Amino acid sequence: MTLDQTLVDAAVDLMNRRWPSEEPGGAAAVRLADGGILTSVGLDNMHGSVALCQETGAFIQAYTQNRTVTASVCVCRDMERARVLILPPCGICQERLALWGPSVEVAVPRQDDPTRWEARSLAEVNPYYWGPQFADGQWPSQAQHSE
């Protein structure tokens, strides 16, 4: 299974359930190899250093359940323009997704319209991933990530 509008809609639906439309908010959704979808939000906290990316909860759920992530999307509200933006994974979330390999698809905003998305593999988003330097030139396996 790959990234599709259903996955994007799951993230937007969670964001809309969690925060009223007049408040900023964000959410994420991941697709699993079996077709399932997990969603999550980041923590609201006064102390910014304890905040987590929107995707973190879904990644941890998948890992806890020993399930494989095949696609990921993160969304947030642009309050100034009353629209939903697609957020590409930050570097930390790219590291988290690396556990499931270079073919994981992630949503990235289209350059002509940041409210629309296109799918890119993790390898495309991070072509110079550092991990292969320690795994004989290959993308590290999940076991190698755990060493």
Side-chain angles (χ1 to χ4, degrees):
M1 304 233 78
T2 59
L3 189 82
D4 61 12
Q5 191 60 44
T6 300
L7 192 63
V8 175
D9 291 344
V12 172
D13 289 346
L14 175 59
M15 178 181 65
N16 290 336
R17 283 193 318 270
R18 177 62 181 83
W19 288 279
S21 59
E22 64 276 359
E23 290 183 26
V30 299
R31 175 154 341 261
L32 305 169
D34 65 8
I37 293 175
L38 298 173
T39 59
S40 60
V41 298
L43 298 172
D44 289 330
N45 196 288
M46 287 176 54
H47 197 294
S49 69
V50 300
L52 296 171
C53 299
Q54 309 293 349
E55 303 99 306
T56 306
F59 296 164
I60 292 170
Q61 288 177 66
Y63 188 76
T64 300
Q65 297 172 20
N66 198 27
R67 297 169 82 185
T68 301
V69 172
T70 61
S72 179
V73 62
C74 184
V75 299
C76 77
R77 282 200 190 103
D78 175 356
M79 297 301 292
E80 291 179 21
R81 295 188 180 136
R83 60 186 183 169
V84 174
L85 299 177
I86 302 296
L87 299 178
C90 72
I92 294 170
C93 283
Q94 289 179 44
E95 281 294 325
R96 292 172 178 146
L97 284 168
L99 220 67
W100 293 288
S103 63
V104 172
E105 289 186 338
V106 297
V108 298
R110 286 186 26 180
Q111 290 193 350
D112 63 332
D113 182 354
T115 65
R116 299 188 64 203
W117 60 273
E118 53 192 31
R120 293 281 185 250
S121 72
L122 191 55
E124 289 175 294
V125 172
N126 192 351
Y128 301 104
Y129 178 52
W130 64 270
Q133 299 298 337
F134 299 95
D136 298 322
Q138 302 298 311
W139 197 280
S141 67
Q142 193 167 12
Q144 289 171 310
H145 275 281
S146 302
E147 292 177 346

